[in-house]
Amino acid sequence: MRSIFSWVFFVCAMFTSGCSLTRQESAAPSLEEMAGAMIMVGFQGTSAPPSLLKAVSEGHVGGIILFDKGKKEGERYNIESPAQVKALASSLQDASPRTLLIAVDQEGGKVCRLKTEYGFSALPSAEEMGRMDETKVRALGLRSGREMFSLGINVDLAPVADVRVSPQSPGLGDVGRLFGNEPEKVTRCALAFADGLYEAGVLPALKHFPGLGSAGKDSHHDLPDVTGSWSERELLPYKEAFRRGWPGMVLVAHIYHRAMDEALPSSLSPAVINGMLRRGLGWRGVVISDDLQMGAVYRGRSLEERVRLAILAGNDILLFGNYLHYDPLLHEKLFRIILALVQSGEVSRERLEESWRRIESMKANIPSVR
Protein backbone atom coordinates (compact mmCIF):
# COMPACT_ATOMS: atom_id res chain seq x y z
CA MET A 1 0.00 0.00 0.00
CA ARG A 2 2.79 2.41 0.82
CA SER A 3 4.54 3.96 -2.15
CA ILE A 4 8.16 5.10 -2.00
CA PHE A 5 6.83 8.63 -1.58
CA SER A 6 4.80 7.61 1.45
CA TRP A 7 7.86 6.20 3.15
CA VAL A 8 9.80 9.39 2.40
CA PHE A 9 7.01 11.43 3.99
CA PHE A 10 6.99 9.19 7.04
CA VAL A 11 10.76 9.24 7.55
CA CYS A 12 10.86 13.02 7.15
CA ALA A 13 8.04 13.37 9.67
CA MET A 14 9.93 11.26 12.17
CA PHE A 15 12.95 13.54 11.97
CA THR A 16 11.07 16.83 11.91
CA SER A 17 8.69 15.95 14.74
CA GLY A 18 11.51 14.85 17.03
CA CYS A 19 10.81 15.48 20.70
CA SER A 20 7.07 15.86 20.22
CA LEU A 21 6.73 12.31 18.92
CA THR A 22 8.86 10.99 21.76
CA ARG A 23 6.73 12.85 24.29
CA GLN A 24 3.58 11.35 22.84
CA GLU A 25 4.89 7.81 22.91
CA SER A 26 6.55 7.95 26.32
CA ALA A 27 3.71 9.50 28.29
CA ALA A 28 1.54 6.86 29.97
CA PRO A 29 -2.10 7.55 29.10
CA SER A 30 -4.64 8.31 31.78
CA LEU A 31 -8.12 6.82 31.75
CA GLU A 32 -9.41 10.23 30.68
CA GLU A 33 -7.03 10.40 27.71
CA MET A 34 -7.95 6.90 26.57
CA ALA A 35 -11.66 7.71 26.78
CA GLY A 36 -11.15 10.93 24.83
CA ALA A 37 -9.17 9.18 22.11
CA MET A 38 -12.25 7.12 21.24
CA ILE A 39 -14.43 10.16 20.55
CA MET A 40 -14.74 11.73 17.09
CA VAL A 41 -17.43 14.39 17.03
CA GLY A 42 -18.80 17.20 14.91
CA PHE A 43 -19.92 20.70 15.89
CA GLN A 44 -21.61 23.77 14.47
CA GLY A 45 -19.63 26.86 13.58
CA THR A 46 -16.77 28.05 11.39
CA SER A 47 -14.62 28.34 14.49
CA ALA A 48 -14.42 25.89 17.37
CA PRO A 49 -16.63 26.59 20.38
CA PRO A 50 -14.68 27.31 23.61
CA SER A 51 -16.07 24.22 25.35
CA LEU A 52 -14.85 21.99 22.52
CA LEU A 53 -11.42 23.62 22.43
CA LYS A 54 -11.15 23.08 26.17
CA ALA A 55 -12.10 19.40 25.81
CA VAL A 56 -9.54 18.97 23.03
CA SER A 57 -6.84 20.66 25.12
CA GLU A 58 -7.56 18.31 28.01
CA GLY A 59 -7.37 15.23 25.77
CA HIS A 60 -11.08 14.53 26.20
CA VAL A 61 -11.75 14.52 22.44
CA GLY A 62 -9.45 12.68 20.05
CA GLY A 63 -11.10 13.39 16.72
CA ILE A 64 -13.14 16.02 14.90
CA ILE A 65 -15.27 15.58 11.80
CA LEU A 66 -16.01 18.61 9.62
CA PHE A 67 -19.19 19.25 7.63
CA ASP A 68 -20.14 22.06 5.30
CA LYS A 69 -23.82 22.18 6.24
CA GLY A 70 -26.41 20.57 8.45
CA LYS A 71 -29.63 18.73 7.71
CA LYS A 72 -31.85 21.70 8.53
CA GLU A 73 -32.24 24.62 6.17
CA GLY A 74 -29.77 27.40 6.91
CA GLU A 75 -27.57 25.40 9.29
CA ARG A 76 -23.93 26.26 8.64
CA TYR A 77 -21.21 24.08 9.97
CA ASN A 78 -17.48 24.25 9.52
CA ILE A 79 -16.53 24.98 5.92
CA GLU A 80 -16.79 28.26 4.04
CA SER A 81 -13.34 28.82 2.44
CA PRO A 82 -9.84 27.28 2.28
CA ALA A 83 -8.35 29.97 4.52
CA GLN A 84 -11.10 29.56 7.11
CA VAL A 85 -10.78 25.75 7.18
CA LYS A 86 -7.02 25.98 7.56
CA ALA A 87 -7.37 28.40 10.47
CA LEU A 88 -10.01 26.19 12.10
CA ALA A 89 -7.93 23.00 11.76
CA SER A 90 -4.86 24.82 13.07
CA SER A 91 -6.70 26.10 16.14
CA LEU A 92 -7.92 22.60 16.94
CA GLN A 93 -4.59 20.90 16.34
CA ASP A 94 -2.68 23.53 18.33
CA ALA A 95 -5.01 23.00 21.29
CA SER A 96 -4.47 19.24 21.39
CA PRO A 97 -1.70 17.71 23.54
CA ARG A 98 -1.52 14.80 21.08
CA THR A 99 -2.13 14.55 17.38
CA LEU A 100 -5.80 15.27 16.76
CA LEU A 101 -7.59 13.37 14.01
CA ILE A 102 -9.38 15.89 11.79
CA ALA A 103 -11.64 14.19 9.26
CA VAL A 104 -13.97 14.92 6.37
CA ASP A 105 -16.05 12.85 3.97
CA GLN A 106 -14.37 13.72 0.69
CA GLU A 107 -15.41 10.86 -1.57
CA GLY A 108 -16.11 12.83 -4.72
CA GLY A 109 -19.28 13.81 -6.56
CA LYS A 110 -22.21 14.54 -4.26
CA VAL A 111 -20.28 13.58 -1.13
CA CYS A 112 -17.72 16.36 -1.04
CA ARG A 113 -17.54 18.54 2.05
CA LEU A 114 -14.84 20.64 0.34
CA LYS A 115 -16.96 21.91 -2.53
CA THR A 116 -16.02 24.03 -5.53
CA GLU A 117 -18.53 26.67 -4.42
CA TYR A 118 -16.32 27.25 -1.35
CA GLY A 119 -13.15 27.51 -3.43
CA PHE A 120 -11.93 23.90 -3.40
CA SER A 121 -10.96 21.64 -6.29
CA ALA A 122 -13.56 19.55 -8.10
CA LEU A 123 -13.52 15.81 -7.47
CA PRO A 124 -15.53 13.42 -9.68
CA SER A 125 -17.83 10.83 -8.17
CA ALA A 126 -16.78 7.25 -7.51
CA GLU A 127 -19.09 6.19 -10.34
CA GLU A 128 -17.17 8.45 -12.74
CA MET A 129 -13.81 7.31 -11.36
CA GLY A 130 -14.92 3.72 -11.92
CA ARG A 131 -14.74 4.43 -15.67
CA MET A 132 -11.14 5.67 -15.42
CA ASP A 133 -7.90 3.73 -15.26
CA GLU A 134 -6.18 3.23 -11.92
CA THR A 135 -3.43 5.75 -12.66
CA LYS A 136 -5.99 8.53 -13.08
CA VAL A 137 -7.91 7.48 -9.97
CA ARG A 138 -4.71 7.47 -7.94
CA ALA A 139 -3.80 10.92 -9.27
CA LEU A 140 -7.20 12.24 -8.18
CA GLY A 141 -6.68 10.79 -4.71
CA LEU A 142 -3.24 12.38 -4.55
CA ARG A 143 -4.53 15.79 -5.63
CA SER A 144 -7.44 15.67 -3.20
CA GLY A 145 -5.14 14.45 -0.43
CA ARG A 146 -2.66 17.25 -1.01
CA GLU A 147 -5.44 19.81 -0.75
CA MET A 148 -6.65 18.30 2.52
CA PHE A 149 -3.11 18.01 3.87
CA SER A 150 -2.51 21.71 3.12
CA LEU A 151 -5.58 22.58 5.19
CA GLY A 152 -4.58 20.46 8.20
CA ILE A 153 -7.05 17.64 7.53
CA ASN A 154 -5.39 14.28 8.18
CA VAL A 155 -8.25 11.78 7.69
CA ASP A 156 -10.54 11.24 4.70
CA LEU A 157 -13.47 8.95 5.45
CA ALA A 158 -13.07 7.43 2.00
CA PRO A 159 -12.93 5.45 -0.24
CA VAL A 160 -16.24 3.64 -0.47
CA ALA A 161 -15.36 -0.01 -1.12
CA ASP A 162 -18.94 -1.25 -1.45
CA VAL A 163 -19.75 -3.42 -4.44
CA ARG A 164 -23.05 -2.56 -6.08
CA VAL A 165 -25.20 -5.66 -5.64
CA SER A 166 -28.67 -4.23 -5.09
CA PRO A 167 -30.29 -2.60 -8.15
CA GLN A 168 -31.84 -0.10 -5.74
CA SER A 169 -29.16 1.61 -3.68
CA PRO A 170 -30.62 4.74 -2.03
CA GLY A 171 -28.07 7.15 -0.62
CA LEU A 172 -25.20 5.18 -2.14
CA GLY A 173 -25.12 3.73 -5.67
CA ASP A 174 -28.13 5.78 -6.74
CA VAL A 175 -26.18 8.99 -6.08
CA GLY A 176 -22.91 7.89 -7.69
CA ARG A 177 -21.00 6.81 -4.57
CA LEU A 178 -19.98 3.36 -5.86
CA PHE A 179 -17.10 2.50 -8.22
CA GLY A 180 -19.08 -0.31 -9.82
CA ASN A 181 -20.67 -3.74 -9.50
CA GLU A 182 -17.57 -5.87 -10.06
CA PRO A 183 -15.54 -6.60 -6.92
CA GLU A 184 -12.24 -6.53 -8.81
CA LYS A 185 -12.91 -3.09 -10.30
CA VAL A 186 -14.10 -1.69 -6.98
CA THR A 187 -10.97 -3.05 -5.31
CA ARG A 188 -8.61 -1.55 -7.89
CA CYS A 189 -10.27 1.88 -7.84
CA ALA A 190 -10.74 2.10 -4.08
CA LEU A 191 -7.15 1.13 -3.31
CA ALA A 192 -5.76 3.40 -6.04
CA PHE A 193 -7.65 6.38 -4.61
CA ALA A 194 -6.53 5.46 -1.09
CA ASP A 195 -2.91 5.14 -2.16
CA GLY A 196 -3.05 8.68 -3.54
CA LEU A 197 -4.51 9.98 -0.29
CA TYR A 198 -1.87 8.26 1.79
CA GLU A 199 1.00 9.49 -0.36
CA ALA A 200 -0.32 13.00 0.23
CA GLY A 201 -0.26 12.51 4.00
CA VAL A 202 -3.93 11.74 4.62
CA LEU A 203 -5.19 8.55 6.29
CA PRO A 204 -7.93 6.79 4.32
CA ALA A 205 -10.87 4.85 5.76
CA LEU A 206 -12.17 1.83 3.88
CA LYS A 207 -15.96 1.72 4.12
CA HIS A 208 -18.55 0.34 4.74
CA PHE A 209 -17.56 -3.04 6.21
CA PRO A 210 -18.80 -5.75 5.68
CA GLY A 211 -20.48 -4.27 2.61
CA LEU A 212 -23.34 -1.85 2.07
CA GLY A 213 -23.74 -2.40 -1.66
CA SER A 214 -26.38 -5.08 -1.15
CA ALA A 215 -28.58 -2.79 0.96
CA GLY A 216 -31.91 -1.69 -0.45
CA LYS A 217 -32.42 0.94 2.26
CA ASP A 218 -30.47 4.03 3.27
CA SER A 219 -28.93 3.45 6.71
CA HIS A 220 -29.16 7.17 7.42
CA HIS A 221 -32.86 6.51 7.93
CA ASP A 222 -33.47 2.77 8.42
CA LEU A 223 -31.55 -0.40 9.25
CA PRO A 224 -31.03 -2.36 6.02
CA ASP A 225 -31.53 -6.12 6.26
CA VAL A 226 -29.06 -7.76 3.86
CA THR A 227 -29.62 -11.32 5.07
CA GLY A 228 -30.85 -12.43 1.67
CA SER A 229 -28.69 -10.22 -0.55
CA TRP A 230 -25.20 -9.99 0.96
CA SER A 231 -22.43 -12.22 -0.42
CA GLU A 232 -18.79 -12.84 0.51
CA ARG A 233 -17.56 -11.21 -2.69
CA GLU A 234 -18.27 -7.91 -0.95
CA LEU A 235 -15.27 -8.66 1.27
CA LEU A 236 -12.76 -8.73 -1.60
CA PRO A 237 -11.66 -5.06 -1.28
CA TYR A 238 -10.91 -5.59 2.42
CA LYS A 239 -9.00 -8.81 1.88
CA GLU A 240 -6.82 -7.20 -0.78
CA ALA A 241 -6.29 -4.03 1.25
CA PHE A 242 -5.17 -6.04 4.28
CA ARG A 243 -2.90 -8.19 2.11
CA ARG A 244 -1.15 -5.02 0.89
CA GLY A 245 -0.75 -3.59 4.42
CA TRP A 246 -3.64 -1.14 4.75
CA PRO A 247 -2.34 1.95 6.65
CA GLY A 248 -5.64 3.61 7.51
CA MET A 249 -8.78 2.55 9.31
CA VAL A 250 -11.87 0.47 8.55
CA LEU A 251 -15.33 2.02 8.92
CA VAL A 252 -18.15 -0.36 9.86
CA ALA A 253 -21.61 -0.07 8.36
CA HIS A 254 -25.01 -0.17 10.01
CA ILE A 255 -26.52 -3.28 8.42
CA TYR A 256 -28.35 -6.33 9.73
CA HIS A 257 -27.53 -9.88 8.64
CA ARG A 258 -29.18 -12.66 10.59
CA ALA A 259 -26.36 -15.14 10.01
CA MET A 260 -23.74 -12.64 11.24
CA ASP A 261 -25.62 -11.54 14.36
CA GLU A 262 -29.24 -12.33 15.14
CA ALA A 263 -29.61 -9.45 17.58
CA LEU A 264 -27.39 -6.53 16.60
CA PRO A 265 -26.44 -4.48 13.54
CA SER A 266 -22.88 -4.90 12.27
CA SER A 267 -21.62 -1.64 13.80
CA LEU A 268 -22.63 -2.79 17.29
CA SER A 269 -21.82 -6.48 16.87
CA PRO A 270 -18.84 -8.25 18.50
CA ALA A 271 -19.44 -11.13 16.08
CA VAL A 272 -18.90 -8.84 13.09
CA ILE A 273 -16.07 -6.61 14.39
CA ASN A 274 -14.10 -8.81 16.78
CA GLY A 275 -15.11 -11.99 15.01
CA MET A 276 -15.49 -11.53 11.27
CA LEU A 277 -13.21 -8.52 10.80
CA ARG A 278 -10.47 -9.11 13.35
CA ARG A 279 -10.29 -12.89 13.82
CA GLY A 280 -11.68 -13.84 10.41
CA LEU A 281 -9.84 -11.37 8.15
CA GLY A 282 -6.95 -10.61 10.50
CA TRP A 283 -7.43 -6.85 10.74
CA ARG A 284 -5.38 -5.51 13.66
CA GLY A 285 -5.77 -1.81 13.05
CA VAL A 286 -8.30 0.88 13.92
CA VAL A 287 -12.03 0.32 13.50
CA ILE A 288 -14.29 3.36 13.37
CA SER A 289 -18.07 3.16 13.53
CA ASP A 290 -20.32 4.81 11.00
CA ASP A 291 -22.17 7.78 12.47
CA LEU A 292 -23.89 6.56 15.62
CA GLN A 293 -26.65 9.13 15.19
CA MET A 294 -27.90 7.55 11.97
CA GLY A 295 -31.44 6.22 11.95
CA ALA A 296 -30.29 2.61 11.58
CA VAL A 297 -28.97 2.58 15.16
CA TYR A 298 -30.48 5.74 16.68
CA ARG A 299 -34.09 4.63 17.02
CA GLY A 300 -34.87 2.71 20.18
CA ARG A 301 -31.39 3.05 21.70
CA SER A 302 -30.26 5.65 24.21
CA LEU A 303 -26.95 7.44 23.81
CA GLU A 304 -25.53 5.39 26.67
CA GLU A 305 -26.57 2.11 25.07
CA ARG A 306 -25.08 3.01 21.69
CA VAL A 307 -21.77 3.95 23.30
CA ARG A 308 -21.66 0.81 25.44
CA LEU A 309 -22.52 -1.55 22.59
CA ALA A 310 -20.12 0.15 20.18
CA ILE A 311 -17.17 -0.19 22.57
CA LEU A 312 -17.97 -3.78 23.52
CA ALA A 313 -18.33 -4.67 19.84
CA GLY A 314 -14.71 -3.64 19.21
CA ASN A 315 -14.94 -0.14 17.71
CA ASP A 316 -11.89 1.97 18.52
CA ILE A 317 -13.35 5.31 17.45
CA LEU A 318 -16.99 6.23 18.00
CA LEU A 319 -18.15 8.60 15.29
CA PHE A 320 -20.88 11.12 16.11
CA GLY A 321 -21.38 13.54 13.23
CA ASN A 322 -23.59 15.74 15.43
CA TYR A 323 -25.53 17.09 12.49
CA LEU A 324 -28.46 14.65 12.26
CA HIS A 325 -29.36 15.41 15.89
CA TYR A 326 -27.33 18.40 17.02
CA ASP A 327 -26.28 18.73 20.65
CA PRO A 328 -23.70 21.41 21.58
CA LEU A 329 -22.72 19.40 24.67
CA LEU A 330 -22.47 16.03 22.94
CA HIS A 331 -18.69 15.75 23.35
CA GLU A 332 -19.00 16.23 27.11
CA LYS A 333 -21.79 13.65 27.39
CA LEU A 334 -19.83 11.05 25.41
CA PHE A 335 -16.76 11.54 27.59
CA ARG A 336 -18.74 11.16 30.82
CA ILE A 337 -20.53 8.07 29.51
CA ILE A 338 -17.28 6.27 28.66
CA LEU A 339 -15.78 7.07 32.07
CA ALA A 340 -18.95 5.88 33.80
CA LEU A 341 -18.89 2.60 31.85
CA VAL A 342 -15.37 1.91 33.06
CA GLN A 343 -16.13 2.95 36.63
CA SER A 344 -19.18 0.65 36.72
CA GLY A 345 -17.19 -2.28 35.37
CA GLU A 346 -19.32 -2.63 32.22
CA VAL A 347 -16.24 -1.77 30.15
CA SER A 348 -12.75 -2.63 31.37
CA ARG A 349 -9.78 -0.28 31.39
CA GLU A 350 -7.97 -2.94 29.35
CA ARG A 351 -10.59 -2.59 26.62
CA LEU A 352 -9.84 1.13 26.35
CA GLU A 353 -6.11 0.40 26.33
CA GLU A 354 -6.55 -1.87 23.30
CA SER A 355 -8.12 0.95 21.34
CA TRP A 356 -5.58 3.45 22.61
CA ARG A 357 -2.68 1.34 21.32
CA ARG A 358 -4.27 0.88 17.92
CA ILE A 359 -5.10 4.58 17.55
CA GLU A 360 -1.63 5.73 18.60
CA SER A 361 0.00 3.20 16.27
CA MET A 362 -2.08 4.51 13.37
CA LYS A 363 -1.25 8.12 14.21
CA ALA A 364 2.44 7.26 13.95
CA ASN A 365 1.79 6.62 10.25
CA ILE A 366 0.46 10.12 9.61
CA PRO A 367 3.26 12.10 7.94
CA SER A 368 2.09 15.26 9.70
CA VAL A 369 2.34 13.62 13.13
CA ARG A 370 3.82 15.99 15.69
Side-chain angles (χ1 to χ4, degrees), residues 199-275:
E199 181 180 327
V202 174
L203 285 172
L206 207 57
K207 65 185 187 184
H208 308 79
F209 184 86
L212 198 55
S214 52
K217 292 182 178 180
D218 185 348
S219 57
H220 285 87
H221 308 294
D222 301 291
L223 178 63
D225 186 341
V226 300
T227 302
S229 57
W230 185 90
S231 68
E232 287 198 14
R233 68 194 187 106
E234 297 181 56
L235 296 177
L236 181 61
Y238 300 93
K239 292 178 179 179
E240 182 61 17
F242 301 161
R243 187 188 69 80
R244 295 190 195 184
W246 181 248
M249 60 183 83
V250 173
L251 185 147
V252 181
H254 305 310
I255 59 169
Y256 174 77
H257 191 304
R258 190 176 301 108
M260 295 180 191
D261 192 317
E262 288 187 350
L264 295 168
S266 50
S267 55
L268 304 178
S269 169
V272 172
I273 297 175
N274 285 331

Side-chain angles (χ1 to χ4, degrees), residues 263-308:
L264 295 168
S266 50
S267 55
L268 304 178
S269 169
V272 172
I273 297 175
N274 285 331
M276 187 177 183
L277 178 56
R278 294 203 187 280
R279 290 192 294 272
L281 298 185
W283 175 238
R284 297 182 179 180
V286 171
V287 173
I288 180 172
S289 72
D290 208 343
D291 190 348
L292 290 167
Q293 289 184 319
M294 289 166 65
V297 294
Y298 181 85
R299 293 190 183 92
R301 291 187 179 92
S302 67
L303 182 60
E304 291 80 2
E305 184 181 8
R306 278 174 280 149
V307 171
R308 178 178 61 83

Side-chain angles (χ1 to χ4, degrees), residues 17 52 54-55 76-77 107 118 126 134-135 146 162 166 173 198 200 206 233 243 246 252 286 307 317 351:
S17 59
L52 181 61
K54 183 175 184 291
R76 291 303 303 273
Y77 267 66
E107 300 173 10
Y118 305 135
E134 294 167 55
T135 303
R146 283 175 172 165
D162 299 316
S166 175
Y198 189 64
L206 207 57
R233 68 194 187 106
R243 187 188 69 80
W246 181 248
V252 181
V286 171
V307 171
I317 297 175
R351 171 65 193 86

